[in-house]
Amino acid sequence: MTRILLLGGTGDALKLARELGPAHVYSLAGLGKVPDDLRCSVRVGGFGGSEGLARYLASERIGLLIDATHPYAAQISANAAHASRAAGVPCWALRRPAWQPQAGDDWRMVGDWDELIDALAPFRRPLFTLGREPLAHLGEIPPHQFWTVRCLDGPADTQRARILAARGPFTLDGERALFALQRFDVVVSKNSGGGATEAKLEIARERGLPVVMLRRPALPAVEREFAGVAELLDALRAWLGEHGIE
Ligand code: NAP
């Protein structure tokens, strides 16, 4: 039982996957790019809930489950914790610390889509950086608003919305230029944490713009939690060394 199953879909998870040798498995939901240059195997698609994941852990003789999914991917994290208990396989998780508001920040915390739309009512030009969810609401844009939705991919622009297909990391200079050009008056964000998409918050601060921030979902406790990739990598190398595998 010396195989690792790494649940990913983030830049941090990809860094971990690059450390894994051919015995191990990197798993993706299938929404984004599938890397083709890893030494470990890559599988794509759901497991069929926590029961399916528990069955996979047993049938594939997995000895360690690592949850390095995005902090808002709450379902797969809950499934991972549940399946690890059911299968008796330890689960480690990367739990990126949330961003914290700094002096001068105007964050307006919301819990769901309805609260988010209410919080946006006073504004005209929101920048959405939440992923694909706003795409399902393009037909509901209030008459006084023009939306910019930044996500991995999406439909063509409409008269009421611009879809910016883009993948992080985003630089300060790039964000500064985008904000100046598009004259956003509010930013809509998840509290993803990490450095890859943090520049937008700094530019919002520079320009005195409010940020409507979707609260983080609760995540389950697991055997070991790590705040950063470097810390998890050290533990992973130690685990691989103890088991005499790469
Ligand atoms: P989610 O709601 O927690 O998961 C929905 C279902 O997708 C899970 O129940 C599972 O299906 C499947 N799934 C999710 N991650 C998987 C993985 N790594 N390998 C295999 N199956 C997986 O997840 P989500 O919010 O839709 O996010 C999907 C993926 O995108 C995640 O892997 C996450 O790391 C990545 N991502 C999410 C966000 C975000 O904001 N949510 C941002 C960046 C990247 P079954 O129940 O059938 O197993």
Side-chain angles (χ1 to χ4, degrees), residues 154-213:
D157 295 346
T158 69
Q159 284 192 325
R160 314 293 318 286
R162 175 178 297 109
I163 314 301
L164 284 181
R167 178 186 298 274
F170 299 105
T171 64
L172 269 180
D173 286 346
E175 296 293 63
R176 193 175 282 117
L178 177 72
F179 277 57
L181 185 69
Q182 301 297 342
R183 294 174 290 108
F184 304 126
D185 57 1
V186 63
V187 179
V188 186
S189 181
K190 290 177 175 171
N191 193 334
S192 300
T197 59
E198 196 179 7
K200 64 189 167 192
L201 298 180
E202 193 161 334
I203 303 304
R205 193 174 305 127
E206 258 178 37
R207 299 178 71 88
L209 301 183
V211 177
V212 172
M213 188 71 87

Side-chain angles (χ1 to χ4, degrees), residues 5-11 13 26-32 43-53 66-79 96 129-132 152 190 192:
L5 173 63
L6 171 64
L7 302 173
T10 62
Y26 180 47
S27 175
L28 294 166
L31 305 179
R43 67 166 297 290
V44 179
F47 295 92
S50 64
E51 290 82 6
L53 179 53
I66 301 180
D67 174 12
T69 59
H70 190 272
Y72 284 71
Q75 185 61 58
I76 187 71
S77 292
N79 292 354
R96 257 190 248 166
T129 62
L130 294 171
R132 297 177 60 83
L152 291 181
K190 290 177 175 171
S192 300

